Amino acid sequence: MAKAKLPDLRMIVCPARQVFALLREPRKRQRYDHPEQLPGFQNLSEDDASRFAQELIDLGLIIRDHGRLTIVDWTIERIVEHLALAGAIQALAASEVAALQGRADFSCLEDINAALKSYETQADNLLQGAFLDYQWHLELVRLSDNRAAFATYAKAIPPAVWIAGANYFQLDEARSSLIEHDRLIAYMKAGDTLRARDAVSFHLEEAAAQIRRAGAARIESYPGISS
């Protein structure tokens, strides 16, 4: 049975300032006829605005509704709800990867984690780090060889969950999550199904708790956006 293939490792083309301007736009239900009307897009060329808007649609940050554009309202509650689902799927996936007992190829997980470590020191890099982290967790599910779990995860958990969460994720927590990645890989390599399952559950529960705390305190991680 052929494995589902992970797309090539990608970075977000749309500048972080535009992405976070959309995330912080209070009028989420407003519809826009043209991409250049989106918050933060007014000074872009028509081509760039259209290209960036399509990328954000693909990421799950914008939807196209009857030809018009609407910003998806990624509230704290919605982010946490999706992280809970992601945690349930990944707990199963991590235990299944561990059960493979050395037959899984961890090189992609390790490469993504190495790339993540290069983004850990600057708040400006939180956007790309969040997207890499999303790809890390997607690869973890793919490694389980559970096609149903992979298809469900890819459909139900868009990159927007991680990207919207990055608006509330602090650098100290981002650094500690990389250590948790290393620990989880070690458990899976050792074939420890229970610790692998519990480690990924704890990892996502902690992320959700951090996002809840930051949201309640109205703390946003990305540098302030000026007009």
Side-chain angles (χ1 to χ4, degrees):
M1 184 179 294
K3 291 184 179 180
K5 298 181 72 173
L6 182 74
D8 292 336
L9 199 61
R10 295 192 296 121
M11 306 301 283
I12 297 173
V13 176
C14 184
R17 191 160 296 274
Q18 271 73 38
V19 175
F20 283 97
L22 288 177
L23 287 171
R24 296 178 184 182
E25 170 57 47
R27 299 165 297 174
K28 293 294 198 300
R29 294 184 181 276
Q30 182 170 333
R31 293 183 179 181
Y32 302 89
D33 293 317
H34 305 288
E36 56 268 27
Q37 295 174 340
L38 290 164
F41 279 48
Q42 290 85 355
N43 295 325
L44 298 175
S45 69
E46 185 177 341
D47 286 346
D48 280 347
S50 179
R51 180 164 56 97
F52 293 158
Q54 184 56 56
E55 179 179 46
L56 298 186
I57 290 170
D58 295 340
L59 294 173
L61 292 167
I62 296 174
I63 58 172
R64 197 180 295 278
D65 183 15
H66 299 290
R68 306 174 77 188
L69 300 170
T70 303
I71 303 168
V72 178
D73 190 5
W74 282 103
T75 62
I76 297 293
E77 291 74 18
R78 188 173 188 177
I79 295 168
V80 169
E81 180 182 328
H82 277 72
L83 285 176
L85 175 59
I89 296 173
Q90 288 185 56
L92 170 64
S95 64
E96 289 180 337
V97 173
L100 292 173
Q101 297 182 332
R103 287 178 283 128
D105 180 1
F106 293 93
S107 59
C108 188
L109 277 184
E110 292 169 332
D111 287 348
I112 299 173
N113 220 36
L116 273 165
K117 289 175 182 177
S118 72
Y119 282 98
E120 69 173 327
T121 57
Q122 298 294 328
D124 283 347
N125 290 327
L126 281 167
L127 175 67
Q128 300 295 359
F131 191 37
L132 285 170
D133 195 33
Y134 166 80
Q135 294 175 75
W136 190 93
H137 285 272
L138 182 67
E139 168 65 3
L140 168 59
V141 180
R142 186 194 69 81
L143 274 182
S144 71
D145 215 11
N146 185 328
R147 296 182 66 183
F150 182 80
T152 299
Y153 191 89
K155 183 177 180 180
I157 312 295
V161 177
W162 262 250
I163 296 166
N167 192 41
Y168 303 99
F169 215 68
Q170 304 302 298
L171 285 174
D172 286 344
E173 282 75 15
R175 293 186 186 104
S176 67
S177 74
L178 299 179
I179 297 173
E180 292 169 11
H181 284 186
D182 289 334
R183 185 181 298 118
L184 176 55
I185 291 173
Y187 289 148
M188 292 189 294
K189 282 184 173 180
D192 194 330
T193 57
L194 294 180
R195 285 184 176 173
R197 180 201 65 193
D198 292 345
V200 76
S201 294
F202 172 80
H203 177 54
L204 290 179
E205 286 168 4
E206 281 294 294
Q210 156 60 23
I211 290 168
R212 276 195 183 281
R213 288 193 298 268
R218 299 184 182 275
I219 297 172
E220 294 174 313
S221 58
Y222 190 75
I225 297 170
S226 58
S227 57

